[in-house]
Amino acid sequence: MIKALFYINLEQIFAMNRSAANDNFVWTLSIWLLSTVLMAIALLSTYMATEANSALFGHSDLIQPYMLARDILANPAAILDWYHSPALYVFPDWLLAMILVAWVPGSDRVLPLLYSVILLLAYSIAGSWLLRQSLNTSLLRGTWLLVTISVVSACVTHHDLTTPMTTWLFLTGSTAYIHTGALVLTLVAGGLLMRCLQRPSATGTAIMALIGAITTFSDALFMVWFVAPACVVLLLHAWAQRSGPPLITIAWISGAGLIAMLVEHLLRSTKPELHRIEPSKSLQVFISDLQAVVSAGDVGFMLMLVAIMVIALRAAIMILRLLRRQTLTPAAYLELFLAGSISAALLAPLALGVYWDLTLWRYLLVIPVLVIIWVVHCVLKLSPQWQYGLTTGAIITTLGLGTVSISSAWEHIQSLQQPIALEQCLREQGRDTGFGDYWNAKRLLFLSDRRLHIIQINAVGQPFHMNYNRRWFAERADTGAPVQPDFVILDRLDAGVIARRFGSPKQVIHCDGSAIWLYPRR
């Protein structure tokens, strides 16, 4: 039935007259098609994620918004009880998390999966908006973007999160609280920038400034991904058009971001600092990691590198044309913005010395999405026959792979509802309150729906604050009763220091590779 509806709607889209009268109907119909394909992607990505690393959906960093949202909904003042990460991720992460927590019944374990679907839909719609401002085509931008994402995700078949970088980028880009909110709003603001270049307006500038303030307060990477390249594009455009420098627009969008950064800094006197190294060492680590990923034979990643080089070359040519005061098309300005954002995303972490590990590619999450948008931009320049053929093939392929993966995906979704081995061991021992490091504390709290209360400590047994509720050091998260810890999960803790601090354990059990020290119950 679903396949029949899919083919009917596809035929309607392709057979539809391109007149303005039909445009709204086509757009509405495409949203249905887009949602259908997104569900296939969600199933496929769920299967990949759970096969690769089921702990992804219990990752202590990435489950933060759901735990925070539940506390805020119960008591808005609880926001003051939380220690936060270096970036606050207020918008849209907190908002979406609160909506999911409030509206989705049952266990919070499924919320990261639902968030992933929303995020993929947001990428597609925001990317569609960006393309729509620059390309005069009758085909639907959102559908094209989605189809390309579908092809990329469908081609990722590896199940290792460390070597195939394409898989890691795709899965990480499908989660909350890791710069994905800033990514979505970079696409939205990029669309506004393209519109302002063609039809300058005070309203458009004000909206960009508002988005800049809200997003930068939440995540300063927005200044790198959007504000910096936008200012460069505006200056080049003004030079080519022989108009005065667009100082007002630049002042609005950059000033709003800088003010937001200042306010965030003043409100957070104890903000955790990012680990930094020398920029030269950061560059060395980056080159070494890049070589390792390429040597691993990650085809998707290597194709992305080739696309980046092509984008950079085309952007250099466009800059030369603008410096000679030649006119560029709106589509060319789109490419220039994409190149600027990619360049800023690559250079900023290295210049600031904050890149020192492969996982810090999270600062570069915008790059694969922008490359995908650039590919869609190129496809939309092909003849209608090529566009129809590529669209049909991509959608059929993705839906086919999604259909094949449904059974396995459903099995893994159900497995997420079962207690993990560590939780099961503690339940069998009748223990529900103890100590653990950052990577165990929040994960067990979240996956047990707060029935297990793990007090977060560092390697030497002292309270570890980041991304944790200060009340939970003394009170249980579920009932508010005083904590009475009687076990320690020894992962990543110094056993000698822990023994001196808490005493020798009454019993030691081993579960799923973890040593658990049990103490007499109080």
Side-chain angles (χ1 to χ4, degrees):
M1 179 65 179
I2 293 177
K3 289 185 177 180
L5 287 172
F6 164 71
Y7 285 119
I8 291 172
N9 284 290
L10 190 62
E11 290 175 2
Q12 288 177 337
I13 290 176
F14 290 166
M16 206 168 284
N17 187 282
R18 296 181 183 178
S19 66
N22 286 327
D23 185 65
N24 289 335
F25 179 70
V26 176
W27 177 252
T28 303
L29 194 58
S30 73
I31 293 298
W32 178 91
L33 178 60
L34 183 144
S35 303
T36 302
V37 181
L38 269 171
M39 291 310 298
I41 297 174
L43 289 170
L44 186 60
S45 62
T46 299
Y47 169 75
M48 288 168 52
T50 49
E51 276 288 302
N53 182 9
S54 60
L56 181 69
F57 297 110
H59 190 287
S60 294
D61 288 344
L62 309 182
I63 59 177
Q64 170 80 356
Y66 314 109
M67 303 191 76
L68 177 63
R70 188 162 292 282
D71 280 0
I72 292 175
L73 289 173
N75 176 19
I79 190 174
L80 301 177
D81 296 330
W82 275 85
Y83 298 102
H84 299 281
S85 57
L88 282 174
Y89 303 115
V90 176
F91 184 80
D93 302 60
W94 289 15
L95 176 62
L96 291 177
M98 283 192 281
I99 291 172
L100 289 174
V101 168
W103 291 359
V104 178
S107 173
D108 287 350
R109 291 170 180 243
V110 301
L111 299 185
L113 300 180
L114 298 178
Y115 196 103
S116 176
V117 175
I118 294 173
L119 201 53
L120 288 169
L121 181 60
Y123 289 154
S124 299
I125 294 177
S128 163
W129 156 260
L130 175 57
L131 288 166
R132 190 178 182 88
Q133 307 313 308
S134 302
L135 295 173
N136 183 22
T137 174
S138 60
L139 293 177
L140 299 161
R141 284 71 167 178
T143 302
W144 286 114
L145 177 62
L146 179 57
V147 166
T148 309
I149 293 176
S150 304
V151 172
V152 171
S153 62
C155 290
V156 180
T157 56
H158 298 290
H159 291 159
D160 177 39
L161 283 179
T162 54
T163 303
M165 201 63 184
T166 308
T167 305
W168 188 89
L169 288 169
F170 176 76
L171 296 178
T172 305
S174 301
T175 57
Y177 237 64
I178 194 163
H179 311 297
T180 48
L183 200 165
V184 172
L185 290 164
T186 293
L187 303 182
V188 174
L192 287 169
L193 174 66
M194 295 300 106
R195 173 173 284 194
C196 284
L197 290 175
Q198 301 171 58
R199 301 180 296 277
S201 71
T203 301
T205 300
I207 295 174
M208 273 195 291
L210 179 61
I211 291 176
I214 295 173
T215 311
T216 304
F217 179 83
S218 303
D219 188 351
L221 265 182
F222 184 80
M223 294 289 287
V224 175
W225 290 352
F226 173 74
V227 175
C231 291
V232 172
V233 170
L234 285 167
L235 288 171
L236 288 171
H237 176 71
W239 172 265
Q241 297 294 318
R242 291 182 170 83
S243 58
L247 297 180
I248 295 179
T249 303
I250 291 176
W252 268 92
I253 61 177
S254 59
L258 291 172
I259 291 172
M261 290 177 67
L262 177 62
V263 170
E264 189 262 351
H265 177 74
L266 293 175
L267 290 177
R268 303 180 66 194
S269 57
T270 58
K271 176 180 177 180
E273 295 294 329
L274 293 173
H275 175 66
R276 298 176 188 269
I277 60 176
E278 291 294 326
S280 59
K281 293 182 179 179
S282 187
L283 178 60
Q284 291 174 4
V285 174
F286 179 76
I287 293 173
S288 176
D289 288 344
L290 203 60
Q291 291 172 340
V293 174
V294 172
S295 298
D298 189 331
V299 177
F301 186 82
M302 288 187 283
L303 289 174
M304 184 178 72
L305 292 181
V306 171
I308 290 172
M309 288 186 284
V310 174
I311 293 170
L313 178 61
R314 289 181 58 82
I317 295 172
M318 292 172 192
I319 291 173
L320 290 175
R321 290 180 58 191
L322 288 172
L323 292 176
R324 294 171 182 170
R325 298 187 184 276
Q326 296 178 9
T327 302
L328 293 185
T329 64
Y333 277 110
L334 170 62
E335 289 192 75
L336 192 59
F337 169 72
L338 297 179
S341 188
I342 290 172
S343 300
L346 278 170
L347 295 175
L350 303 179
L352 296 174
V354 295
Y355 183 91
W356 43 267
D357 183 76
L358 192 63
T359 59
L360 294 171
W361 263 83
R362 63 178 182 266
Y363 296 142
L364 287 71
L365 278 179
V366 71
I367 293 177
V369 176
L370 295 184
V371 168
I372 288 170
I373 291 175
W374 178 77
V375 172
V376 175
H377 157 269
C378 294
V379 170
L380 288 171
K381 289 185 173 182
L382 298 175
S383 66
Q385 292 77 14
W386 274 101
Q387 293 181 27
Y388 298 156
L390 290 172
T391 304
T392 304
I395 293 177
I396 291 175
T397 300
T398 306
L399 284 176
L401 289 170
T403 302
V404 170
S405 300
I406 286 177
S407 177
S408 296
W410 180 246
E411 291 177 5
H412 289 296
I413 290 173
Q414 289 179 313
S415 72
L416 290 176
Q417 305 301 312
Q418 304 302 317
I420 62 174
L422 201 55
E423 177 185 352
Q424 188 64 35
C425 286
L426 291 169
R427 286 186 177 184
E428 290 173 356
Q429 295 291 326
R431 309 293 178 123
D432 62 10
T433 307
F435 294 100
D437 77 330
Y438 176 76
W439 300 108
N440 275 322
K442 289 260 296 299
R443 181 168 71 106
L444 286 169
L445 271 162
F446 179 75
L447 294 178
S448 68
D449 292 319
R450 307 194 181 197
R451 288 186 292 270
L452 289 180
H453 186 89
I454 313 299
I455 302 167
Q456 188 169 280
I457 59 176
N458 61 16
V460 296
Q462 296 176 338
F464 187 69
H465 294 155
M466 193 175 77
N467 285 345
Y468 198 73
N469 190 315
R470 71 181 73 241
R471 290 181 178 272
W472 294 352
F473 291 108
E475 302 174 3
R476 287 186 58 86
D478 53 355
T479 64
V483 296
Q484 296 182 337
D486 53 21
F487 65 85
V488 177
I489 304 171
L490 211 59
D491 294 343
R492 293 166 293 274
L493 303 183
D494 188 318
V497 176
I498 296 298
R500 290 194 296 271
R501 190 177 186 90
F502 298 114
S504 299
K506 175 184 177 181
Q507 180 185 359
V508 178
I509 63 173
H510 295 272
C511 182
D512 197 30
S514 299
I516 305 175
W517 288 8
L518 303 180
Y519 292 85
R521 293 187 178 90
R522 299 180 182 180

